Amino acid sequence: MNQESILAAVDALNAYICGRNISDFQIQTLKNDTLCLIGSFDLSYYHDLELVITGVNRLCLCTYFYVDLQNPAPFSVQFPPGGGAVLRFTDESDRKTEEIHFEGRLSVHTKHVAHEKGPSFFMEGPGK
């Protein structure tokens, strides 16, 4: 884990989301110790950002959350004396501080991904 690269990734994340009005986030996957969050202006149709964090050892966050873009740095990172890093943000739905504790890397991937609409269970019904 390189503190400078994590700080740079958090700075890039904040600049990107504030510049593109990306306030909605959700957990896309959590496999072993790797967490992938996706972000968008409207997660119903697409996402523009993937935040991948490796070495995750503790999570305290909702599966879906949104941040206040009036804050120029919605995400922050701290490095506790015992090692590792803690990514923090305020979930605006309940105004609570959420945390992701990790000992690996944090990387920001920007791309536009449209969500495909598949057959709906309610429209098609079971067994149809």
Side-chain angles (χ1 to χ4, degrees):
M1 177 181 72
N2 180 323
Q3 289 186 4
E4 283 124 22
S5 67
I6 292 173
L7 287 167
V10 171
D11 287 344
L13 170 65
N14 285 325
Y16 190 81
I17 66 173
C18 288
R20 288 167 180 80
N21 204 28
I22 297 172
S23 60
D24 297 2
F25 291 85
Q26 76 178 38
I27 295 175
Q28 183 180 45
T29 58
L30 175 60
K31 292 183 181 176
N32 299 319
D33 69 347
T34 301
L35 172 68
C36 180
L37 299 174
I38 57 174
S40 176
F41 170 75
D42 184 352
L43 284 169
S44 301
Y45 301 101
Y46 61 88
H47 67 270
D48 294 306
L49 174 93
E50 294 180 1
L51 180 62
V52 179
I53 305 169
T54 62
V56 173
N57 53 29
R58 189 170 139 217
L59 294 173
C60 179
L61 72 154
C62 295
T63 57
Y64 176 88
F65 60 92
Y66 72 98
V67 297
D68 180 9
L69 296 177
Q70 298 302 314
N71 177 353
F75 288 89
S76 65
V77 67
Q78 295 179 335
F79 301 97
V86 180
L87 183 68
R88 289 194 169 105
F89 58 92
T90 299
D91 180 354
E92 290 299 316
S93 62
D94 59 8
R95 299 288 303 148
K96 290 186 179 175
T97 300
E98 311 286 3
E99 296 182 342
I100 302 168
H101 296 249
F102 64 102
E103 295 180 357
R105 294 185 41 203
L106 183 146
S107 56
V108 178
H109 306 273
T110 57
K111 60 184 177 180
H112 184 82
V113 178
H115 299 176
E116 293 183 24
K117 300 287 184 192
S120 168
F121 175 80
F122 297 105
M123 297 287 286
E124 300 293 326
K128 291 188 178 182

